[in-house]
């Protein structure tokens, strides 16, 4: 097979892998294609956390045609017993003769072990085909494994002149229904949605995905005093989705008790600065194996995120409206940068139109 063929099959495997987004986390998204005599004889993708891996599904699809064939897989096959048996062992038994892998898996129980099992069985192994797109596909998984913290997605909607609310605080609705539908899709695939206490108080949001997606996100409110009203939509819907209130040790005990008795979890997260408290929270969410978290603002929280250099990806909805007002809020508060040249560049930047709104998204290069 030519190098172009390897690239084509791997890109197809990456496309298959994307179908598992929101359903497989904290596992990685993985796709697999099996080719024999230049013909695809099997394919699969990891479809559900705890379910069969992409390699096994592709082998089942190929059947006897897997013997002597070439497999392209977007991530190093596992070699340990987890919720499913080791994929590398199944590949050896199948009679596959050549395996093309996009990237090694940094997960400690794999990390080169899967490749070693294959090579020791006499299977030819090539690594690094389409590694860039494969790493972008699983950037949230890679961050969780390598740093212990989830991937942070910042989202905001603003007017053409960069305002997220009027000078009186009114913000509903800046973006249109098409933009809000995109936000609901994002909500439906993340592990948590984070807002500040001001947003929770002023907007009284539910922060659920409508219609529901593959995941039910934990709604998180950063509220140092644990002052979230028990009559809020968030607290009134704890039977629909969990609510986590992040307070400090200075929060009044009666506030904490009232929220816990209403079905909320209260997490004490201290730190000398808001940025330090936020970093401690992200570390805690990583320990809970949360892979993707969505931060919906407001300006104070998003500014703290920026000051902590904690934003990995931005989704921005720009409405063709001019609000004005020197005291009207902009999306990102905090201290901010002193020099424009210190900004981090964005990658994979795309801009589309949504019924008149402009939807821009991209990742922060590190």
């Amino acid at each position: 097979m030519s190098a172009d063929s390897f690239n084509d099959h791997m890109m197809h495997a990456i496309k298959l892998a994307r179908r598992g987004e929101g359903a497989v986390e904290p596992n990685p998204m993985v796709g697999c294609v099996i080719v024999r005599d230049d013909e695809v004889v099997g394919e699969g993708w990891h479809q559900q956390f705890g379910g069969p891996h992409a390699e096994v599904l592709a082998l089942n699809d190929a059947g006897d045609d897997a013997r002597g064939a070439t497999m392209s897989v977007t991530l190093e096959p596992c070699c340990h017993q987890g919720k499913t048996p080791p994929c590398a062992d199944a590949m050896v038994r199948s009679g596959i003769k050549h395996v093309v892998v996009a990237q090694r898996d940094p997960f400690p129980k794999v990390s080169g072990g899967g490749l070693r099992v294959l090579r020791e069985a006499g299977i030819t192994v090539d690594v690094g085909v389409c590694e860039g797109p494969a790493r972008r596909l699983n950037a949230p998984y890679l961050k969780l494994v390598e740093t212990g913290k989830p991937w942070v997605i910042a989202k905001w909607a603003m007017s053409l002149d960069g305002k997220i609310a009027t000078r009186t605080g009114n913000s509903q609705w800046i973006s249109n229904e098409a933009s809000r539908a995109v936000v609901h899709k994002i909500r439906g695939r993340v592990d948590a949605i984070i807002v500040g206490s001001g947003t929770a108080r002023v907007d009284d949001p539910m922060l659920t995905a409508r219609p529901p997606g593959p995941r039910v996100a934990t709604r998180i409110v950063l509220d140092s005093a644990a002052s979230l009203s028990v009559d809020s939509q968030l607290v009134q819907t704890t039977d629909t989705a969990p609510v986590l209130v992040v307070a400090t040790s200075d929060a009044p005990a009666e506030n904490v008790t009232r929220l816990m008795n209403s079905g909320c979890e209260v997490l004490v997260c201290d730190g000398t600065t808001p940025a330090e408290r936020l970093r401690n929270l992200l570390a805690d969410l990583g320990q809970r194996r949360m892979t993707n978290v969505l931060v919906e603002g407001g300006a104070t929280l998003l500014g703290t995120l920026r000051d902590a250099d904690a934003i990995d990806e931005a989704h921005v909805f720009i409405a063709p409206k001019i609000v004005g007002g020197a005291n009207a809020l902009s999306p990102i508060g905090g201290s901010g940068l002193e020099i424009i040249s210190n900004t981090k560049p964005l990658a994979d930047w795309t801009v589309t139109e949504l019924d008149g709104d402009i939807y821009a998204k991209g990742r922060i290069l590190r």
Side-chain angles (χ1 to χ4, degrees):
M1 242 189 299
S2 67
D4 286 344
S5 294
F6 286 145
N7 288 342
D8 290 344
H9 293 312
M10 188 63 76
M11 291 306 297
H12 179 52
I14 289 172
K15 185 177 180 180
L16 290 172
R18 179 67 72 181
R19 297 183 185 182
E21 185 175 43
V24 304
E25 294 85 354
N27 281 355
M29 292 177 278
V30 181
C32 182
V33 175
I34 299 175
V35 177
R36 182 174 178 177
D37 298 329
D38 294 325
E39 180 182 351
V40 175
V41 296
E43 59 183 39
W45 67 95
H46 189 28
Q47 300 177 12
Q48 186 72 41
F49 178 72
H53 289 186
E55 300 94 320
V56 171
L57 292 173
L59 289 171
N60 291 342
D61 189 33
D64 292 339
D65 287 336
R67 187 163 299 277
T70 295
M71 173 186 285
S72 295
V73 61
T74 58
L75 189 69
E76 177 182 0
C78 66
C79 55
H80 66 289
Q81 177 69 48
K83 290 184 177 293
T84 59
C87 291
D89 291 351
M91 293 160 65
V92 171
R93 292 193 300 269
S94 74
I96 285 281
K97 71 172 185 179
H98 186 189
V99 177
V100 181
V101 178
Q103 65 171 123
R104 292 171 61 119
D105 188 346
F107 186 64
K109 291 184 178 179
V110 183
S111 192
L115 303 177
R116 184 170 58 252
V117 169
L118 299 178
R119 287 173 173 145
E120 289 177 351
I123 297 173
T124 300
V125 179
D126 291 314
V127 182
V129 174
C130 300
E131 182 175 4
R135 289 189 66 85
R136 289 192 292 273
L137 170 76
N138 274 317
Y141 165 78
L142 296 173
K143 182 186 178 186
L144 181 62
V145 171
E146 294 169 351
T147 72
K149 293 181 180 180
W151 187 259
V152 178
I153 303 166
K155 165 263 167 183
W156 65 88
M158 66 183 185
S159 63
L160 196 60
D161 57 332
K163 306 296 184 182
I164 62 172
T166 67
R167 58 182 173 81
T168 65
N170 179 261
S171 62
Q172 294 182 336
W173 293 101
I174 288 179
S175 59
N176 62 26
E177 290 187 7
S179 293
R180 297 197 294 274
V182 172
V183 174
H184 281 289
K185 287 183 179 179
I186 300 171
R187 287 179 176 178
R189 66 171 178 83
V190 299
D191 295 295
I193 302 166
I194 306 176
V195 297
S197 58
T199 297
R201 182 180 62 256
V202 174
D203 292 348
D204 190 23
M206 284 184 61
L207 301 180
T208 53
R210 301 183 294 276
R215 304 187 84 76
V216 176
T218 297
R219 284 94 48 89
I220 300 177
V221 181
L222 304 189
D223 185 355
S224 59
S227 60
L228 180 66
S229 171
V230 294
D231 295 322
S232 65
Q233 291 196 90
L234 287 167
V235 178
Q236 291 296 311
T237 56
T238 53
D239 57 340
T240 301
V243 173
L244 173 63
V245 177
V246 182
T248 68
S249 54
D250 293 329
E254 59 270 24
N255 288 2
V256 173
T257 300
R258 182 174 62 249
L259 288 171
M260 292 178 65
N261 289 342
S262 298
C264 301
E265 178 186 355
V266 178
L267 173 67
V268 173
C269 196
D270 285 324
T272 57
T273 65
E276 183 180 350
R277 291 195 291 272
L278 187 58
R279 283 191 288 264
N280 291 339
L281 169 63
L282 293 175
D284 181 273
L285 299 183
Q287 291 177 352
R288 299 173 188 233
R289 306 305 295 163
M290 290 189 178
T291 307
N292 293 278
V293 298
L294 173 65
V295 181
E296 296 203 20
T300 300
L301 174 54
L302 288 171
T304 300
L305 265 181
R306 203 234 65 80
D307 289 346
D309 193 24
I311 298 175
D312 297 301
E313 184 175 328
H315 292 248
V316 184
F317 301 86
I318 306 168
K321 302 170 182 177
I322 298 176
V323 174
N327 295 324
L329 286 174
S330 61
I332 311 290
S335 299
L337 293 174
E338 294 182 357
I339 303 172
I340 289 292
S341 60
N342 287 342
T343 58
K344 286 187 167 65
L346 294 167
D348 305 321
W349 192 249
T350 62
V351 178
T352 55
E353 184 180 352
L354 296 173
D355 291 348
D357 282 2
I358 295 172
Y359 172 35
K361 62 178 179 177
R363 298 181 178 189
I364 309 296
L365 276 179
R366 302 193 183 282

